[in-house]
Amino acid sequence: MKKSAFAVILMLMVLLLLGCKKKNENNGDNAIQDYEHDVTATPLPTVPAEPDPEEGHEGEMRSTLTGLWVPEEVGKKRPYAIQFSNFKTVKNQWGIGQADIVYEALAEGGITRLLGIGENFSGDRFGSVRSSRHYFASIAYEYDAIYVHFGKTKYAKSKIKELGINNLDGIEGIGTTVFYRDNSMKAPHNAFASLDGILAGIKKKGYETVHPEGYEPHFTFYREDTNLDTGSDANKVTVDFSSYVTPYLDYNSEDKLYYRYQFGGPHKDSNTDQQLTFKNIIVQFVKERDIDRNHYQTMDFENASGTGYYITNGKKVDITWKKKESAGWMRYYDASENELTINPGKTYIAIFPDNHAKDVTIE
């Protein structure tokens, strides 16, 4: 009897211990399940997405000239292409700092002319404005620009007529509307235009002021400032057009811009006293030669192709170019024959004789 009672008591104690262990094991399982449930229920912190550079620009668009954000009414507007003198006495032109793109090419006698293309000129003094050359007229046509000049060669007259270029010429009847003379300066370097004059001239001529539907921009731009993956150093770019004018551009690594110099000093805008700076430099080599005994220049620039350099952020790469003038079409290409993409900002373009390519030095 005693043994039976002891066996019962022992069995009850075993059952009690097993029940406690099971209960503890279940509690442990529940604790793990609860922990896992809590982890799942609370979302992990996420890394904020990078802001889209295309957002936050309501009412704006990328400029077709610089790739920078501008108001839509500015970006859709046809630019003005102003023919600036580059004679020593007017070496720091008035208003040229407002140009988004500046072209330079030889005229005659070793001098150069500058073509300033801009979509948002303002003020009452641009100049001095000089006469057209046919290759500058062709460049203005590439941008669907309204061409502002004071006189023209017979070759430019033919080109403007051939291409149907909208232009404002100081020696035509529209001249006194658009231009004025500064009598404190010596002619012919004393002709100037104003924005009010240009607008009045456009109104009289009845020119369209916005790009047509389907207009294709001249350049493709990176969305943000981008360094070249390849290429050689380009900290100083010297463009030795002649003994008369040898401009050069120095790279500033702090603001990543090229500062232009000519005639022994900084090249400035006389309206602001600010030196001209550029994000991009393009050297475009062309077949160039005298066209007559007056040493007027011409170049293979209608249906043509060639080589050149693209320079930005302290580096230079080789490029090629192709042009079909009748379509107003001009494009640059990289070493892989893809259309060149350039940095947002202002651009200087030197149209340079290919048989003197050695006179462009890059350090």
Side-chain angles (χ1 to χ4, degrees), residues 82-86 89-90 93-95 124-131 148-151 168-171 175-176 178-194:
I82 301 177
Q83 191 74 74
F84 287 95
S85 171
N86 199 31
T89 57
V90 286
Q93 298 82 2
W94 289 258
D124 58 5
R125 192 173 176 87
F126 312 128
S128 79
V129 181
R130 291 303 310 277
S131 57
V148 181
H149 56 99
F150 204 104
L168 301 173
D169 186 350
I171 65 169
T176 54
V178 179
F179 299 91
Y180 62 91
R181 294 277 188 184
D182 181 344
N183 293 324
S184 68
M185 300 171 64
K186 186 177 179 180
H189 304 287
N190 65 345
F192 293 86
S194 67

Side-chain angles (χ1 to χ4, degrees), residues 141 301-304 322-331:
Y141 189 63
F301 204 55
E302 297 176 349
N303 297 297
K322 295 179 182 179
K323 176 165 177 168
K324 185 176 181 181
E325 183 184 73
S326 61
W329 184 88
M330 229 299 306
R331 293 291 185 271

Side-chain angles (χ1 to χ4, degrees), residues 97 99-100 249 255 257-260 267 274-280 346-348:
D100 299 306
L249 298 99
D255 59 13
L257 296 176
Y258 286 88
Y259 286 68
R260 183 181 155 94
H267 186 182
Q274 296 296 308
Q275 188 171 0
L276 302 190
T277 60
F278 299 94
K279 185 65 180 177
N280 307 296
K346 294 189 176 187
T347 301
Y348 165 74

Side-chain angles (χ1 to χ4, degrees), residues 22 25-27 31 53 160 229 250 261 273 280 302 323 350:
K22 185 175 181 181
E25 287 176 351
N26 288 339
N27 283 344
I160 290 169
D229 293 331
D250 266 345
Y261 295 80
D273 200 40
N280 307 296
E302 297 176 349
K323 176 165 177 168

